[in-house]
Amino acid sequence: MREVLEMWKYSRMIASFVLAAAVYAVVLWVFAPLWIIPGVTGIRIANILPPVFSLLFGPAAAWGIAVGNLIGYDILGGALTIGSIGGFIGNFLLGYMPYKIWHRMFREPPHCRTLSSVLKFEFVTLIHAAVCAHVISLWCEAVGFVPYTPLAFIIFTNDFLAPAIAGPILMALLYDRVRRAGWLWTDVMKGYEYLPTTVKKRWVIGTILVTIGSVIGLVATIGVGLGLGQPLFFGPGLKFIGTPLVATGLVFLIIWIIGVALLE
Amino acid sequence: MSTLIELDDVWVRYRMARDYALRGISLKIREGDVVGIIGPTGAGKSTLAKVMCGIVPNLEPCDEFRGYVSVCGLDTREVPVGIICRRCAMVFQDYEAQLFRTSVELEVAFGPENLGLEPSEIERRVKWALELTGLVGLERRYTYALSGGQKQRLAIASVLSLQPDVLVLDEATSDLDPRGKLELFQVIKKLIEARIIKAAVIIDHHLDKLAQLANRIVVLKNGEVIDEGTPREVLTKVELLKSLKLEPPQVTELFHRLGHTRDKLPLTIDEALEHTKNLRARKPERTEVSKVDKVLSLRDIWFYYVPSEWVLKGINLDVYRGECLGIIGQNGSGKTTLANIIMGILKPIKGRVTLLDQDVTEKGPTARIGIIGYVLQNPDYQIFNRTVYEELAFAPKHMNLPPDEVDRRVKHVAKLVGIEHLLDEDPFFLSKADRQRVAVASVLTMYPKILLLDEPTTGLTPGETRDLMDLVMKLNRELGMTVIVITHDMNVVARYCTRVVLMKSGEIVIDTDTRTLFKNIELLRQNYIEPPQIIEYTVRALGEPYLTVDELIQHLER
Amino acid sequence: MKFVLYVDANSPIHRLDPRTKLYWVLCVFIWSMTFNHPLYTAAILGIVLATLLMSRAIKGVKFATIPLTILIAMCIVLWPLFRREGTTVLLSLGPLNIYYESLLYAVAVGFRLTAMVLAGLTLLVTTRIEELEAALVKLKLPYPIAFGVSAVFRFIPTLMGDAHMVIAAQRARGVDPLRGSLVTKIKNSALIVAPIFMTSMRRLSTLPLAMESRGYTPTAKRTYLIQLKMRPVDYIYIALSTALTATFIYMRLNGIGVIYPHYI
């Protein structure tokens, strides 16, 4: 987590931040969504970018995606609300999760030129989409903005499908160039490991907790929202779904937070 | 005079570079100096500028940095750039990236703010710098909404407000029209006379303009200083400059080829006119533009992005097989919009586009593949594949051609364009001139019959411009390819185009053969277009435009 | 699209200190979350609309009509499906009951969101980015972050221009992001996103050099051209907003203005 604040001491990281934010906002605008259910959910092409930026620019991508979304979507799109706070945090995590897991867990670079590299890329993409969907939707439900269940579904499809399909293509084109040009975040911020020399045990546990907190948490909370899990979690007696939903979501959020803390 | 900057045997090798960018440069910049630095691409001009400001070795990753650089007594290896810039500050070539604040006044204030000056002093300096650069009245404008020329002025203003001792300009006036460029050079001259700035270092390709400002010219080649002297001493070495693919002033070249000795060579048109005695030439033959075989026809094209704000107002244009058509006009006159209409990327609101007798008005770019190839001003807009080979193969693959045909086309085009040796390279790391060649080649593999180029020579040196356009004309001659080139480089127009269309606010002002256009110097002036030196000279001396030095010499009566 | 929301005018709202306006937006967010009865949230929307009218910049807000309409429509459809509580059943769809209360709640949330969006927009149409930056710096946001965010606003239009050129160039080579199956569309889009990214990266590679060549050191102390000053009228606005906040919270605590007492 330290790198997230420390990055602002490097002007090249500030440039990476501007690059990530501006390109994200621009791509958000120039590509119309590809609708899956017209008007409700579609694939935003811009969502190819967060895992790619994250693995290249590290913390600058986390800030960049968060601010790019805030400016490109909320501010210039005229949708600045209390929901934007959740949006900011959720998008921040889109840019935070992939590099964080990668630089603790995987000793192969994310060049996406081998099957194993691609699979790892898909794994961090799955996590980042689940975390983002869970956090934003939980926030929106909690502040009485939009219900959790449909929103979580929409955000997850949005953040997972496009990068899962096209992320590896983009990564294979970009990784070597960015590295050669000296823009990888660990090339700018000396003292951080791009790939771990040894994978510590607590990082493995952290990753497992993060996976549970995000992927399983998302599925479980959606289930509660649909009324499925209620007998399981809260017994048959409870009628209300609002508060149990937030409670379920929070439990998994805490698991996830412990996981992230262990990744330090 | 005291020494401000001193370089002693400086060697620089960038990260992962095979070769040195600078090889043992020693140089002194003294008070009152205005030093012009010239040389071919890759000679190390920008690196030298960055070394003087401490950017190399502090900010650019280097594998090797040897030698000693002192800026006003500061060793650049020991002091951060943020401190050195108070003594020696630089304006970069790409103005977009160095304007990073939202408004004009904040952009200029950024430097003084970092110096920790009092708000009242910051305000004073902002006003002063904007006045010098002719930007008064634009204080609250948004940076992005300025024109290219205004952005370059702003980039210079925002460094002037630091009031450094030494000002370094790296191609910092390339987007200004000739008049604007001279104005800024005058400003720098005045600042040095008033001792507000103590010295300036200027990298520029326009040797004739540079000659009017600099008191010393340094010639670089392969990272070494190969010549140094007053402008007159250096610019009259016509053979040397030509061997470096630099363009000496055209009148200098003319008189050199007429056999005048070096001490008598003129640098400006006025000097040339004084030297002109008994110059007589046959009238050049009128080159007839063949108007037989129409390949592209635009009829009454109207277009807007925002309703009722017309960008194109009734354009009528025919293009004939085998010609080289130039489209000129100021920024915002609608040239690129017209190109996008021709390509089918935009559809006209009204009007008809006919291509090889086919109405393609309603069809998109896919219908034009194999007929028109489109090359843009920035090669990066089209290049993205991992190797040059893949880049060239990309479009034919997308046309679903069989692999052996794709391979044949790639090899054929690579040979034609002269990039066979680059096929395995990553295009991202090639020089701009090479990338532009790759961009042209990647379009040629679609075997187009017409080539449409939008500002293809922006950011190239005169030598590189010639190489690229010579290549295009080779395609024109050998393959009979029709060429349409949008450009603001009048040398390109004079040297290569057979016909020219001048656009102004969405309309065609004049559509004529090149020679007739250049006869009308008044019209050009009204449109802020400056003809090449040789044309202005011949119109004034002989009453008839000769388009190139070669043409004039061929027609001379001795 | 619009790159700048600011509308130049000399209204009382324009003349307020940006910090006052930020505080007011925060208050509106709190007010609209205090109540969930449509009459009360409508009243808060009324306050926001009155402020917007006073700013004489309403033309800068018109573009938000469509996204806002979609947002409200989504609310009115979704909330009754997921807040299934109440006493009066309006409609019975098999096992699903739509309650009168949940519909009222949905309408209240609709007003709430509109109030928030319009409050945010009132701030943005009456405040220049540079004033907002100065305000955030005064409020102790680290300068590098404020600087970076402003730079994103600066670069979006430039990179947008580049993006359109890239799309033109790639379409002329037969890459069409609008044709083929969903997967083909996503893949083709990636082939357009790659050059957009690389062009931007090349452009911004000069940014850190240019920043430092103008004396910028991320950690150093600096001075500012824009000097903000709170005037008496600012204090009046702040006092008024605070008083309203206190009153509204007091009302809510006494059960006024709510449909569902246990939800926000």
Side-chain angles (χ1 to χ4, degrees):
Chain A
M1 220 47 188
R2 194 160 47 97
E3 72 274 9
V4 168
L5 291 179
E6 210 177 280
M7 66 150 275
W8 295 105
K9 289 184 192 156
Y10 299 84
S11 29
R12 194 166 276 278
M13 288 303 278
I14 298 179
S16 301
F17 158 79
V18 174
L19 177 67
V23 170
Y24 188 59
V26 163
V27 174
L28 215 50
W29 273 92
V30 293
F31 288 97
L34 304 168
W35 296 112
I36 298 175
I37 307 167
V40 179
T41 184
I43 292 178
R44 297 198 305 182
I45 293 301
N47 283 323
I48 303 172
L49 294 170
V52 174
F53 281 167
S54 175
L55 295 171
L56 299 173
F57 302 140
W63 288 103
I65 299 297
V67 170
N69 185 70
L70 181 74
I71 295 177
Y73 184 77
D74 294 341
I75 295 184
L76 296 179
L80 196 64
T81 61
I82 193 85
S84 310
I85 298 173
F88 188 89
I89 298 170
N91 278 279
F92 185 92
L93 295 173
L94 276 188
Y96 180 71
M97 281 327 300
Y99 87 85
K100 197 72 214 177
I101 291 182
W102 203 294
H103 91 135
R104 291 308 191 208
M105 290 296 292
F106 303 136
R107 285 154 77 181
E108 184 184 18
H111 49 53
C112 288
R113 258 182 275 139
T114 58
L115 182 63
S116 59
S117 179
V118 171
L119 286 177
K120 286 165 190 155
F121 182 89
E122 299 293 357
F123 173 69
V124 295
T125 302
L126 175 72
I127 302 280
H128 97 308
V131 173
C132 175
H134 187 62
V135 169
I136 296 183
S137 311
L138 199 59
W139 172 262
C140 286
E141 167 87 29
V143 298
F145 181 87
V146 189
Y148 180 94
T149 310
L151 192 62
F153 175 74
I154 291 171
I155 296 176
F156 180 77
T157 34
N158 242 323
D159 287 347
F160 182 64
L161 284 184
I165 295 169
I169 303 177
L170 202 58
M171 204 63 196
L173 285 172
L174 299 180
Y175 173 75
D176 267 337
R177 287 167 177 161
V178 173
R179 190 177 61 90
R180 229 178 108 180
W183 280 68
L184 288 187
W185 70 281
T186 45
D187 282 345
V188 184
M189 298 176 71
K190 303 285 182 209
Y192 289 91
E193 281 183 332
Y194 192 72
L195 304 170
T197 36
T198 47
V199 179
K200 289 184 192 157
K201 213 175 203 168
R202 66 183 172 101
W203 294 343
V204 179
I205 299 169
T207 306
I208 293 170
L209 290 183
V210 163
T211 313
I212 295 172
S214 56
V215 182
I216 299 182
L218 183 75
V219 176
T221 319
I222 287 181
V224 174
L226 293 172
L228 298 178
Q230 271 194 63
L232 197 69
F233 289 106
F234 301 101
L238 273 165
K239 271 189 205 139
F240 300 152
I241 60 160
T243 321
L245 186 144
V246 174
T248 315
L250 276 177
V251 170
F252 284 101
L253 194 66
I254 290 165
I255 298 176
W256 172 82
I257 289 172
I258 297 169
V260 169
L262 284 174
L263 281 175
E264 277 314 303
Chain B
M1 288 287 181
S2 66
T3 302
L4 295 167
I5 298 183
E6 188 176 353
L7 278 76
D8 187 24
D9 195 27
V10 175
W11 294 71
V12 173
R13 193 160 60 83
Y14 285 118
R15 181 173 149 153
M16 291 167 105
R18 282 181 217 128
D19 218 340
Y20 286 92
L22 293 185
R23 322 165 148 264
I25 292 225
S26 299
L27 195 68
K28 275 184 186 162
I29 311 286
R30 295 184 193 84
E31 220 174 306
D33 263 352
V34 179
V35 180
I37 296 178
I38 62 174
T41 324
K45 302 187 295 292
S46 288
T47 307
L48 179 59
K50 286 176 181 169
V51 163
M52 288 184 192
C53 306
I55 291 170
V56 172
N58 290 319
L59 293 177
E60 295 256 50
C62 294
D63 282 347
E64 206 178 324
F65 180 86
R66 265 192 285 146
Y68 172 75
V69 182
S70 128
V71 176
C72 302
L74 305 171
D75 181 343
T76 59
R77 276 169 310 186
E78 281 155 20
V79 186
V81 176
I83 302 291
I84 297 172
C85 73
R86 300 168 185 209
R87 300 294 186 181
C88 174
M90 169 169 177
V91 184
F92 299 83
Q93 185 173 4
D94 180 7
Y95 50 81
E96 289 288 358
Q98 55 191 318
L99 303 180
F100 37 74
R101 304 291 283 147
T102 45
S103 78
V104 169
E105 73 182 346
L106 279 191
E107 193 69 60
V108 184
F110 185 74
E113 286 179 340
N114 289 326
L115 300 183
L117 300 177
E118 286 299 314
S120 57
E121 170 65 9
I122 299 176
E123 211 167 305
R124 203 190 56 75
R125 285 205 184 180
V126 168
K127 207 167 154 242
W128 172 80
L130 290 178
E131 265 166 18
L132 283 177
T133 46
L135 292 171
V136 173
L138 304 178
E139 290 81 358
R140 306 252 287 169
R141 275 289 187 86
Y142 294 104
T143 321
Y144 78 82
L146 300 177
S147 72
Q150 287 172 330
K151 282 179 182 168
Q152 283 202 318
R153 287 167 185 270
L154 180 57
I156 294 172
S158 58
V159 166
L160 281 179
S161 65
L162 285 164
Q163 298 196 343
D165 293 335
V166 185
L167 181 67
V168 182
L169 302 181
D170 182 2
E171 292 286 337
T173 56
S174 56
D175 253 54
L176 291 174
D177 56 57
R179 208 188 308 162
K181 196 180 184 111
L182 267 185
E183 269 170 32
L184 269 180
F185 279 5
Q186 294 305 329
V187 166
I188 292 167
K189 216 170 196 167
K190 262 190 265 160
L191 289 176
I192 288 178
E193 278 160 13
R195 298 270 179 120
I196 294 172
I197 289 177
K198 290 181 187 153
V201 176
I202 295 167
I203 300 174
D204 207 298
H205 293 308
H206 293 91
L207 305 192
D208 51 330
K209 303 272 183 323
L210 197 56
Q212 298 177 40
L213 176 67
N215 57 17
R216 196 148 64 96
I217 303 264
V218 174
V219 188
L220 286 190
K221 188 190 172 187
N222 292 333
E224 287 173 275
V225 176
I226 57 162
D227 199 11
E228 200 179 337
T230 63
R232 186 160 299 277
E233 280 165 4
V234 175
L235 296 191
T236 50
K237 290 179 181 161
V238 174
E239 297 301 330
L240 171 79
L241 295 176
K242 294 213 107 180
S243 76
L244 296 173
K245 294 207 166 185
L246 298 170
E247 306 247 295
Q250 281 175 319
V251 288
T252 318
E253 186 189 342
L254 173 71
F255 281 81
H256 168 76
R257 287 172 64 178
L258 291 176
H260 289 230
T261 50
R262 258 187 68 202
D263 53 312
K264 286 192 183 133
L265 292 181
L267 293 178
T268 63
I269 295 174
D270 290 332
E271 281 176 26
L273 288 171
E274 277 170 34
H275 283 64
T276 307
K277 281 174 218 129
N278 307 324
L279 191 69
R280 255 180 312 185
R282 279 173 286 121
K283 251 185 139 135
E285 307 77 38
R286 231 185 112 83
T287 36
E288 278 304 318
V289 180
S290 107
K291 291 199 170 178
V292 199
D293 200 356
K294 207 186 280 181
V295 287
L296 170 72
S297 156
L298 302 174
R299 279 287 155 272
D300 196 29
I301 300 288
W302 291 74
F303 185 81
Y304 57 63
Y305 294 95
V306 181
S308 80
E309 286 175 27
W310 294 100
V311 180
L312 296 178
K313 304 170 194 163
I315 300 282
N316 283 299
L317 180 64
D318 291 314
V319 183
Y320 300 93
R321 187 179 302 279
E323 73 172 328
C324 175
L325 171 70
I327 300 180
I328 61 173
Q330 274 197 287
N331 288 344
S333 57
K335 304 184 301 278
T336 296
T337 307
L338 187 65
N340 280 334
I341 297 250
I342 294 175
M343 287 313 299
I345 290 155
L346 300 173
K347 291 202 174 80
I349 306 294
K350 213 179 101 188
R352 227 173 60 238
V353 184
T354 315
L355 193 59
L356 299 178
D357 297 324
Q358 244 191 357
D359 189 331
V360 290
T361 316
E362 290 304 317
K363 290 182 183 154
T366 336
R368 285 138 165 104
I369 288 176
I371 304 175
I372 320 186
Y374 190 20
V375 177
L376 288 90
Q377 72 167 265
N378 187 343
D380 298 328
Y381 291 153
Q382 41 203 114
I383 293 178
F384 64 92
N385 283 289
R386 267 213 298 265
T387 64
V388 171
Y389 185 96
E390 284 173 38
E391 197 63 54
L392 266 54
F394 181 82
K397 266 192 202 155
H398 253 251
M399 292 160 76
N400 293 321
L401 296 174
D404 53 327
E405 170 65 9
V406 173
D407 186 64
R408 200 189 61 75
R409 283 190 175 198
V410 169
K411 291 194 171 133
H412 172 216
V413 169
K415 191 168 172 213
L416 202 64
V417 178
I419 52 169
E420 286 161 298
H421 59 295
L422 299 176
L423 282 177
D424 294 325
E425 299 275 331
D426 179 346
F428 187 78
F429 293 101
L430 297 177
S431 73
K432 176 138 189 186
D434 281 339
R435 294 206 306 281
Q436 193 58 284
R437 274 179 178 258
V438 172
V440 172
S442 71
V443 163
L444 288 179
T445 48
M446 291 183 274
Y447 284 177
K449 296 180 178 61
I450 307 171
L451 196 57
L452 172 60
L453 305 108
D454 186 357
E455 306 273 9
T457 59
T458 308
L460 300 189
T461 65
E464 290 166 342
T465 299
R466 255 179 114 143
D467 287 348
L468 183 75
M469 288 310 294
D470 283 345
L471 163 70
V472 170
M473 291 322 281
K474 183 173 133 196
L475 301 169
N476 173 270
R477 266 194 324 273
E478 291 177 11
L479 308 177
M481 198 177 282
T482 310
V483 175
I484 307 172
V485 55
I486 297 174
T487 185
H488 59 250
D489 184 339
M490 288 307 119
N491 278 312
V492 167
V493 174
R495 200 169 275 149
Y496 301 100
C497 294
T498 43
R499 184 159 71 104
V500 190
V501 163
L502 169 61
M503 289 183 65
K504 188 181 184 179
S505 7
E507 286 170 292
I508 291 179
V509 181
I510 190 170
D511 174 352
T512 178
D513 66 290
T514 310
R515 196 176 310 280
T516 315
L517 174 87
F518 282 122
K519 262 186 196 163
N520 206 337
I521 286 185
E522 264 319 296
L523 177 77
L524 295 177
R525 284 269 150 79
Q526 283 162 21
N527 286 282
Y528 299 96
I529 290 167
E530 195 183 77
Q533 207 185 24
I534 190 71
I535 292 182
E536 192 174 344
Y537 167 71
T538 49
V539 168
R540 284 168 70 180
L542 301 161
E544 184 73 33
Y546 291 78
L547 299 177
T548 59
V549 176
D550 286 333
E551 188 182 73
L552 176 59
I553 286 184
Q554 278 163 21
H555 289 83
L556 277 184
E557 291 174 347
R558 301 190 188 233
Chain C
M1 73 170 288
K2 295 167 62 129
F3 300 121
V4 172
L5 298 179
Y6 178 76
V7 176
D8 207 15
N10 189 15
S11 77
I13 308 297
H14 280 78
R15 287 193 298 267
L16 286 178
D17 189 284
R19 284 166 291 178
T20 312
K21 286 185 259 188
L22 271 171
Y23 182 74
W24 174 77
V25 171
L26 184 75
C27 286
V28 171
F29 280 19
I30 297 172
W31 302 344
S32 42
M33 305 240 310
T34 312
F35 302 114
N36 59 34
H37 190 289
L39 281 183
Y40 290 80
T41 48
I44 284 153
L45 177 58
I47 299 177
V48 175
L49 279 174
T51 317
L52 186 57
L53 280 175
M54 251 167 80
S55 75
R56 278 183 255 142
I58 203 154
K59 65 173 178 200
V61 175
K62 280 188 184 138
F63 78 100
T65 320
I66 295 169
L68 210 49
T69 317
I70 295 173
L71 203 64
I72 293 169
M74 230 170 92
C75 266
I76 294 181
V77 173
L78 289 178
W79 278 116
L81 294 175
F82 288 88
R83 277 271 187 279
R84 297 189 298 268
E85 300 165 43
T87 45
T88 323
V89 178
L90 271 187
L91 196 65
S92 230
L93 302 165
L96 200 69
N97 286 334
I98 303 286
Y99 293 93
Y100 173 66
E101 283 81 358
S102 66
L103 197 63
L104 279 185
Y105 180 81
V107 174
V109 172
F111 287 145
R112 166 192 291 175
L113 292 184
T114 314
M116 287 194 215
V117 168
L118 291 182
L121 283 173
T122 308
L123 169 73
L124 293 167
V125 294
T126 60
T127 319
R128 294 173 63 98
I129 297 297
E130 34 288 24
E131 291 174 313
L132 213 51
E133 179 198 305
L136 292 172
V137 170
K138 276 268 180 198
L139 295 168
K140 300 286 179 240
L141 181 75
Y143 183 73
I145 300 183
F147 167 83
V149 173
S150 294
V152 176
F153 276 101
R154 147 73 186 95
F155 280 109
I156 284 177
T158 303
L159 300 191
M160 187 74 84
D162 284 341
H164 284 299
M165 299 297 269
V166 168
I167 292 174
Q170 297 306 342
R171 286 187 68 195
R173 293 169 83 193
V175 184
D176 196 335
L178 298 174
R179 279 217 195 151
S181 68
L182 189 69
V183 174
T184 315
K185 281 182 197 162
I186 295 174
K187 282 184 176 166
N188 276 349
S189 303
L191 298 181
I192 290 178
V193 171
I196 291 179
F197 172 82
M198 288 189 289
T199 314
S200 310
M201 185 167 115
R202 202 187 289 283
R203 259 198 205 293
L204 291 183
S205 60
T206 318
L207 179 61
L209 314 185
M211 281 156 60
E212 297 206 18
S213 314
R214 302 230 310 259
Y216 180 72
T217 324
T219 45
K221 263 210 147 69
R222 63 200 303 283
T223 50
Y224 300 91
L225 172 69
I226 296 181
Q227 297 294 313
L228 299 176
K229 206 172 158 353
M230 299 280 276
R231 293 174 306 139
V233 60
D234 287 301
Y235 292 107
I236 296 174
Y237 263 90
I238 287 176
L240 208 64
S241 302
T242 314
L244 278 178
T245 309
T247 317
F248 290 159
I249 290 177
Y250 180 79
M251 285 163 74
R252 165 80 197 229
L253 290 178
N254 286 289
I256 301 172
V258 286
I259 296 287
Y260 295 132
H262 51 288
Y263 285 120
I264 284 179

